[in-house]
Amino acid sequence: MLGFLRELRGSGSAADQLPGNIYTEFFANIIAEPSGNGCKSADHDFTQGFSMLRTFDTENSNQLEPPTATDADVWIFGYGSLVWKADFPYIDRRRGFVWGFKRRFYQHSIDHRGIPERPGRVVTLLPGDPAQDRVYGVAYRIAASQKSAVLDHLDYREKNGYERCSLEFHEYPTDGAEPIQVIMYVATQANDSYAGDVWQVPCIARQIFSSAGPSGPNREYLFNLAAAMDQLFPGAVDEHLQELVACVRRCIAEDEPQLIRHALLHEIAGILKQEQLAEQAQQLENLLERCQKPGGREWLIHRALQAKNQS
């Protein structure tokens, strides 16, 4: 980077051309090659890569030697990331649904798909029509010997506003089987991170589009959930989820390239105000490294949207 800056300065390029030259040489490919951060093009097939879902009916347990099932086992129902990211031991899993709820992206995420200063959005359940509304997901059977450790793990994983409750789970496709009593985690409207329907779907989509956290980009959470629903429950309709997917894909296709370019040019111009060439080179390298890390694109998008809102 330092050598390039010296060469660029020596070429006599006008000062106002330097940010564009540096952007073209080192940063333009960030827009063109979004792999690895959940930042795919609008027409990308988000159902690719779900080995867990492709083997759902043939691999009931994620343990080589699962404990024997007993009457003391418990079932956990997942309707969000637990559908496709079960990071705990289970001895059986079933596809199905619960009656009387609606799944909504009404919960802020400050510890998984966002950070406190830039919260993401994740799902919770709202009361619905007991005879009409269904939420589809996956129930996992937890062996009695592993129950305490798994519930402690999930209590920590869902610590940002979620509480346990118990209800009946019905298998899919419906085959007349008796319902299963399950535990699930719901973020109530009383918790500090509850966001509700503030801003409605287009603005929720904008928040997802520009957010990332320790667990990765918020859009990855949205797209993985949509892919899981498509594969596990063909024909089931979740209008809220589908509308959000369409809005976020539209943001990626129509807005993302321009927002990232604007943010990068602004960052580069600010760095070039440093007096020492070596300091400029170091800060540009730091910027490049940050942009290539998971969440780097969302950070740039957020900064561009902030500048746009302030102008």
Side-chain angles (χ1 to χ4, degrees):
M1 185 71 75
L2 182 58
F4 179 81
L5 288 179
R6 284 173 177 161
E7 182 179 338
L8 198 59
R9 297 289 188 181
S11 68
S13 299
D16 60 351
Q17 295 178 336
L18 296 180
N21 292 335
I22 294 169
Y23 168 83
T24 300
E25 182 70 20
F26 294 101
F27 293 90
N29 66 332
I30 292 175
I31 295 176
E33 300 177 4
S35 61
N37 290 334
C39 313
K40 315 296 193 297
S41 63
D43 60 352
H44 184 82
D45 180 3
F46 291 102
T47 64
Q48 296 294 321
F50 272 84
S51 59
M52 182 191 80
L53 302 183
R54 287 197 299 268
T55 60
F56 190 92
D57 292 325
T58 59
E59 297 179 8
N60 292 333
S61 174
N62 62 352
Q63 302 176 76
L64 292 177
E65 297 183 8
T68 303
T70 71
D71 291 340
D73 300 342
V74 296
W75 289 83
I76 303 292
F77 176 65
Y79 56 90
S81 61
L82 288 182
V83 173
W84 49 271
K85 190 179 181 181
D87 55 352
F88 51 83
Y90 57 86
I91 60 174
D92 193 6
R93 58 180 174 178
R94 310 275 178 87
R95 289 180 290 173
F97 58 89
V98 294
W99 281 109
F101 290 93
K102 298 178 180 181
R103 176 170 37 213
R104 294 291 184 268
F105 277 76
Y106 285 1
Q107 178 73 359
H108 281 315
S109 176
I110 61 173
D111 57 351
H112 287 295
R113 297 293 175 169
I115 54 179
E117 57 269 30
R118 288 187 286 119
R121 285 284 190 122
V122 290
V123 292
T124 187
L125 299 185
L126 300 184
D129 186 332
Q132 297 291 330
D133 293 319
R134 295 180 177 185
V135 172
Y136 292 88
V138 176
Y140 298 92
R141 185 169 193 156
I142 312 301
S145 60
Q146 299 169 328
K147 176 171 62 177
S148 179
V150 169
L151 289 175
D152 286 347
H153 167 72
L154 289 174
D155 285 346
Y156 181 79
R157 172 170 162 166
E158 309 297 338
K159 66 183 182 298
N160 186 36
Y162 288 83
E163 299 177 1
R164 293 186 203 172
C165 65
S166 179
L167 74 168
E168 290 185 343
F169 168 87
H170 303 266
E171 289 190 54
Y172 171 94
T174 304
D175 58 3
E178 288 294 316
I180 300 170
Q181 200 71 23
V182 296
I183 296 170
M184 72 176 186
Y185 288 79
V186 177
T188 66
Q189 297 184 32
N191 85 87
D192 292 340
S193 288
Y194 187 78
D197 63 350
V198 178
W199 316 312
Q200 299 299 324
V201 165
C203 289
I204 295 174
R206 206 74 164 170
Q207 187 176 349
I208 293 171
F209 166 60
S210 61
S211 297
S215 296
N218 201 172
R219 65 182 71 175
E220 180 184 71
Y221 174 101
L222 170 69
F223 294 146
N224 284 351
L225 179 57
M229 292 299 105
D230 286 343
Q231 287 193 22
L232 291 178
F233 308 100
V237 176
D238 186 329
E239 293 181 356
H240 179 73
L241 177 61
Q242 293 173 351
E243 188 176 357
L244 275 172
V245 167
C247 283
V248 173
R249 285 180 174 174
R250 188 159 54 246
C251 288
I252 292 172
E254 298 177 1
D255 301 334
E256 183 169 284
Q258 294 82 2
L259 289 171
I260 291 180
R261 183 177 185 276
H262 181 275
L264 281 169
L265 288 173
H266 179 77
E267 294 292 325
I268 293 168
I271 289 172
L272 293 180
K273 293 178 182 179
Q274 298 291 329
E275 293 185 4
Q276 300 296 322
L277 207 61
E279 181 65 19
Q280 292 178 11
Q282 183 60 56
Q283 290 192 25
L284 286 170
E285 289 175 0
N286 292 344
L287 176 62
L288 184 60
E289 182 180 356
R290 179 169 188 175
C291 293
Q292 293 172 328
K293 290 181 177 179
R297 296 170 70 84
E298 286 78 8
W299 171 70
L300 289 168
I301 291 167
H302 178 77
R303 291 181 71 83
L305 289 173
Q306 271 190 322
K308 187 176 181 180
N309 292 334
Q310 293 170 359
S311 63

